[in-house]
Amino acid sequence: MSQRVLVIGAGPAGTRCAIRAAAQGAQVTLCGAEAALPYDRVALSSLLAGEKTLPDLIPHDLRGLHAQGVAFRPATPVVALDRAAGAAVTARGERIAYDRAVIATGSRAIRLPVPGADLPGVLTYRTLDDVRAMLRAARGGGAAVVVGGGLLGLEAAAGLAQRGMKVTVLHPVEWPMERQLDAGAGGLLTRRMGQRGIRFAMPAQLAAIEGEGRVTGVVLADGKRLPASIVVMAVGIRPDTALAAASGLATGRGIQVDAAMRSNDPAILAIGECAELEGRTIGLVAPALEQAEIAAATLSGQSAHYAPRADAAALKVSGTAVWSAGEIAGEGVTLRDEEEDRYRRLFLREDRLVGAVLYGDVSDSGFYLNLIASGRRIGRHAAALALGPAYAQELA
Ligand SMILES: Cc1cc2nc3c(=O)[nH]c(=O)nc-3n(C[C@H](O)[C@H](O)[C@H](O)COP(=O)(O)OP(=O)(O)OC[C@H]3O[C@@H](n4cnc5c(N)ncnc54)[C@H](O)[C@@H]3O)c2cc1C
């Protein structure tokens, strides 16, 4: 009889692993807590902004999954693992027997614990249901407050503005995306987003959310009040280790795994944002999919190892290009052209490019990502590197 593989979590990592394992001949069940078919979470901002429709986000329907050998169970959260018996227990009390299990429970969005945080109309930004709630709120127009001016917060703000809401972004630092951008580029981005009608309160701290039965506004730490018919918190994520921890698996920030994606129970693997390898968790889709491939190989008895590599993140707001990759920390070489609304910042260490941020013109992103990934020596090209491949041709 073929191996029974249970994949828990139908995000990008879980779905990829389920399809691969089925292709290798395993008998695969994929349990997802959400009521939806597996969808492209990365594209939620495009759905919110009206640039994509829901069918665009769903690569496989139920029949398609079945045809690939995956028995998909939506709205089926797994609440416990009976490791001794090799069975998972669902929220409805059903037991699903497995030979190998793969935990791919992803992350949860953090909700700031301020007064009023549980009022209806206070949302996070992680799931299709979150976007549906935003779209419902946007139909009534009115004001939205987005808490957090990182990548996700800005995408939420742009989408809600596109849908006709008056949006204010609260951010605790003087400029948005401060992890990627310095003050100058942050200023350019603020101006560009402002042209779309988005306002910024920076630096600002959220103190409380007000409303009787539903949110009506927010109070800032300095006492200022802003009206809001919705509040979207985009303040970070936390790996979802609840099931693994309750099942006695080793967890730190995430579920601890080796490079073959095995937890401390060799029958159970963990992949994607819920997994922690050598003290590090991931927060992007490309490494999550790579880990899914490694886990599928491990399940089939091959020797495969996940090796972390530089991954890139981009702000998906049309007309506002921001791209970053690698380690964005320490001293950087900056090239700024405010008139052209362009900016580049490169991070070098020991004669190698380790990180890059591009704003405005991101056409050279592939060149910089390759350089970061290859670890090639920059040598005499250091001075001109920020000008792009045309000025450092031997590296291109
Ligand atoms: C709006 C938005 C935009 C993004 N944009 C980008 C981008 O541009 N580029 C990029 O690289 N990344 C982006 N990301 C991040 C990217 O979506 C994640 O890195 C990716 O989804 C991680 O995949 P995952 O499968 O590990 O986890 P998840 O996608 O979080 O999937 C985990 C799934 O497991 C389910 N689950 C949890 N617990 C259980 C349980 N006990 N039983 C059953 N199911 C369970 C959850 O409901 C969820 O559906 C974005 C994220 C968001 C929210």
Side-chain angles (χ1 to χ4, degrees):
M1 204 179 81
S2 60
Q3 173 173 240
R4 293 164 305 174
V5 171
L6 172 65
V7 181
I8 302 163
T15 305
R16 171 70 64 91
C17 184
I19 290 172
R20 290 287 186 270
Q24 290 159 358
Q27 194 184 314
V28 179
T29 304
L30 172 64
C31 287
E34 297 180 62
L37 281 161
Y39 60 88
D40 179 1
R41 194 176 305 286
V42 169
L44 284 177
S45 295
S46 308
L47 180 67
L48 179 64
E51 292 155 3
K52 286 192 175 171
T53 62
L54 185 54
D56 298 332
L57 270 60
I58 298 180
H60 319 274
D61 61 13
L62 209 51
R63 252 209 246 147
L65 284 168
H66 190 76
Q68 295 182 76
V70 176
F72 176 55
R73 309 280 302 271
T76 307
V78 170
V79 294
L81 292 174
D82 180 347
R83 288 166 51 201
V89 185
T90 71
R92 275 175 246 130
E94 186 191 351
R95 287 174 75 85
I96 302 176
Y98 64 81
D99 300 310
R100 310 290 287 279
V102 180
I103 304 181
T105 45
S107 296
R108 281 175 188 262
I110 293 172
R111 197 175 269 260
L112 293 176
V114 295
D118 293 329
L119 278 170
V122 181
L123 310 167
T124 53
Y125 189 20
R126 183 77 193 171
T127 65
L128 184 56
D129 280 347
D130 293 333
V131 172
R132 285 189 171 126
M134 285 187 224
L135 291 175
R136 272 196 303 276
R139 255 178 247 137
V145 166
V146 174
V147 186
L151 278 171
L152 236 55
L154 296 186
E155 288 183 12
L160 291 168
Q162 185 79 16
R163 298 281 179 173
M165 297 195 88
K166 282 200 171 100
V167 184
T168 305
V169 176
L170 304 187
H171 193 57
V173 182
E174 281 90 349
W175 64 93
M177 287 182 62
E178 79 286 355
R179 274 199 256 159
Q180 287 89 5
L181 305 177
D182 67 9
L188 295 178
L189 180 58
T190 306
R191 199 173 66 195
R192 179 57 73 96
M193 301 284 288
Q195 288 161 358
R196 300 168 163 259
I198 295 163
R199 291 174 196 196
F200 287 84
M202 299 180 293
Q205 298 279 352
L206 177 69
I209 299 172
E210 297 182 306
E212 296 278 326
R214 193 179 163 84
V215 58
T216 53
V218 302
V219 187
L220 308 188
D222 63 6
K224 202 171 154 197
R225 289 187 145 75
L226 296 172
S229 47
I230 55 166
V231 173
V232 179
M233 292 201 192
V235 294
I237 54 170
R238 190 173 290 132
D240 190 342
T241 58
L243 173 67
S247 311
L249 297 175
T251 57
R253 182 170 155 74
I255 304 164
Q256 289 166 345
V257 293
D258 63 15
M261 309 316 297
R262 283 176 303 227
S263 74
N264 61 319
D265 176 343
I268 301 180
L269 287 73
I271 55 172
E273 286 190 358
C274 67
E276 173 188 320
L277 175 62
E278 288 166 5
R280 294 173 73 172
T281 53
I282 57 162
L284 291 169
V285 75
L289 294 174
E290 171 71 11
Q291 292 184 354
E293 303 280 354
I294 300 290
T298 300
L299 289 171
S300 70
Q302 299 165 47
S303 161
H305 300 284
Y306 174 74
R309 58 184 159 83
D311 278 304
L315 179 67
K316 301 185 297 302
V317 173
S318 59
T320 313
V322 185
W323 177 91
S324 72
E327 297 172 37
I328 309 297
E331 280 298 301
V333 181
T334 304
L335 179 77
R336 184 172 295 126
D337 181 348
E338 299 219 1
E339 261 174 37
E340 291 284 320
D341 208 23
R342 272 192 339 194
Y343 160 99
R344 281 179 180 186
R345 196 166 169 211
L346 304 179
F347 298 86
L348 294 143
R349 202 171 56 224
E350 292 165 7
D351 197 30
R352 291 183 167 88
L353 184 67
V354 294
V357 178
L358 308 183
Y359 172 86
D361 171 10
V362 300
S363 54
D364 292 336
S365 52
F367 166 66
Y368 293 117
L369 187 60
N370 281 341
L371 264 188
I372 296 169
S374 71
R376 285 183 68 178
R377 290 191 175 277
I378 304 302
R380 64 188 176 84
H381 299 291
L385 193 61
L387 296 171
Y391 294 84
Q393 277 176 352
E394 287 159 34
L395 298 175

